[in-house]
Structure formats: structure tokens, C-alpha cells
Amino acid sequence: METLYHQTNKEIHEVQSYMGGLEKTDRESVHLLENDILARVDRIFTHVERLEILASKEPPNRRQNAKLRADQLKYDIQHLQTGLRNFQHRRYQRDAQDREREELMSRTFTTNDADTSIPMDETLQMNSNLNNAHQGMDDLLGSGSSILNGLRDQRGTLKGTHKKMLDVANMLGLSNTVMRLIERRATQDKLIMVGGMLLTCVIIFLVIRYLG
């Protein structure tokens, strides 16, 4: 069992080393490396299953430790297998994007009532503009959220300021006319704040509806 354990552990470290070179491998050779890693992973799983069987046959005083060692090897190879699947998924996505780009580059677009072709550079430019528009929308939404938060903070500040002004006015014995002017100004500030919030919401809604 010890020999098989050390052999399996060595193979796991070799797979880790190969996994580290996947990102640096060219597209023509990456399939070969993936297949080699998959074969090694399958072989390691076979070793781990054999180790689990051997661990169950160990004497009681050594059985638990042997099982833990086999479980650790099993966890390590499962982790590497998940990493390989994630890499393959990313590669498949890149390959699909490359194929779509090549199809787009080789496709000729025409109108329904004319044979006018759309140059591919204009199509790519439209795609770039669309991406920029989506990015701009995200930035605008973020700015709108910041503005709304700022307006809410200003509202709380205005309330506190209004209350302090009323307290100061009461202490100084200002006339009712001055008091009304202060309240009117506070009301105007509140209306301006609410109007700004509504305008921001309308702008965000229009941008989402237009670009969506």
C-alpha cells in the first residue's frame, strides 16, 4: 500500500505541473496536453479506489490513518479534475467567440430592397459602439445610484439644519415673518431635492429602455 500511495501522490504532483502549463500551451497542442492530463487523472482515480480497498483491510490501529491518506489523495485529484473542466469551459467559450468572429468577418449583409453591402469594418464599429453604450449605461446607473444616495444624505442634512435654524430663531426671538421665510426656503430646498431625484430616475429609466 505504501508503494501505491507514494506513486499516486507523485502522479498527482505531475498533473499539477501539467495543469500549470495549460494556459501557456498553444492552441494546436493544448488538446494533446488535455488528453494526456485526462488519462493521468483516470489512472489516479483507479489508484485511489485501490488504496481505499487496501485501507479497509489494514489493521484497526492503522486503518483510520490509511483511510485519511486515501481520502486526501481523492480530494486532491477531484480538485485538479475540477480545475481542468473549468479550463476546458473557458477554452470552449474562447473558441466559440473566435468562430463567431470569423463568421461575422466572412458574412455579407444586404438590405431587403437593394444589393448594397455593409462593409465589415462598419459592422465591427457598430458592435464596438454597442459595447461602449452598454458600458456607458452601467456607468450612468452607477452615477445615478450615487446621486440618489447623495440626495438622501442632503435631505437628512437639510432636516437637521432646518431644525437647528428653528431652534436658534426661537432663542433669538425672531418674528413670525422671518420664521415663515425660513420654512418656505426649507420647503423649496425639499422640492428641488425631490425634483432632482425624480429627474435622475426618469433619465435612468429612459437610458435602460432605449439601450435595452
Side-chain angles (χ1 to χ4, degrees):
M1 180 176 179
E2 285 296 317
T3 302
L4 182 59
Y5 171 81
H6 289 296
Q7 177 185 348
T8 305
N9 191 42
K10 178 182 178 182
E11 291 181 357
I12 288 177
H13 284 85
E14 290 176 352
V15 170
Q16 289 176 333
S17 177
Y18 290 138
M19 289 282 293
L22 277 174
E23 295 288 350
K24 303 176 183 178
T25 305
D26 58 87
R27 296 179 60 179
E28 290 73 16
S29 304
V30 69
H31 301 283
L32 298 176
L33 183 56
E34 284 181 1
N35 292 335
D36 183 36
I37 293 176
L38 283 172
R40 290 173 180 271
V41 168
D42 291 339
R43 185 167 60 250
I44 291 173
F45 271 117
T46 301
H47 292 340
V48 171
E49 292 175 358
R50 178 61 180 166
L51 285 170
E52 289 176 335
I53 295 174
L54 294 175
S56 65
K57 297 179 180 180
E58 286 287 306
N61 61 329
R62 291 166 39 182
R63 187 178 304 158
Q64 184 64 26
N65 183 53
K67 188 176 183 304
L68 289 175
R69 296 171 72 187
D71 289 342
Q72 181 62 46
L73 293 178
K74 186 175 183 179
Y75 171 81
D76 291 341
I77 192 57
Q78 287 176 339
H79 180 72
L80 291 174
Q81 186 183 50
T82 301
L84 178 61
R85 289 173 178 171
N86 291 336
F87 171 81
Q88 289 178 320
H89 178 69
R90 293 194 304 271
R91 183 175 61 79
Y92 294 154
Q93 286 184 323
R94 288 196 301 267
D95 291 345
Q97 291 174 355
D98 292 341
R99 286 194 300 269
E100 291 175 358
R101 188 179 299 108
E102 291 175 359
E103 291 176 0
L104 184 63
M105 293 293 295
S106 61
R107 186 181 305 167
T108 302
F109 296 88
T110 59
T111 60
N112 292 331
D113 56 353
D115 294 332
T116 304
S117 297
I118 301 176
M120 290 313 304
D121 56 346
E122 294 182 5
T123 304
L124 294 176
Q125 182 64 36
M126 287 194 306
N127 184 46
S128 177
N129 292 339
L130 182 60
N131 291 332
N132 292 335
H134 281 292
Q135 181 64 38
M137 183 181 69
D138 292 338
D139 295 340
L140 182 58
L141 289 175
S143 300
S145 177
S146 299
I147 292 174
L148 290 176
N149 291 332
L151 290 173
R152 281 195 293 267
D153 294 340
Q154 291 180 11
R155 180 183 179 185
T157 303
L158 287 174
K159 284 184 177 180
T161 303
H162 181 219
K163 186 176 182 303
K164 290 181 181 179
M165 291 176 65
L166 291 178
D167 293 340
V168 172
N170 288 330
M171 289 193 318
L172 295 177
L174 296 178
S175 65
N176 291 333
T177 302
V178 176
M179 296 286 291
R180 283 194 297 271
L181 289 175
I182 293 174
E183 293 178 353
R184 184 182 305 170
R185 178 56 185 272
T187 302
Q188 291 175 351
D189 291 341
K190 184 184 295 183
L191 291 175
I192 292 173
M193 181 194 67
V194 172
M197 293 175 67
L198 291 176
L199 179 60
T200 302
C201 291
V202 170
I203 292 175
I204 293 175
F205 172 77
L206 292 176
V207 170
I208 294 175
R209 179 164 182 168
Y210 175 73
L211 295 179

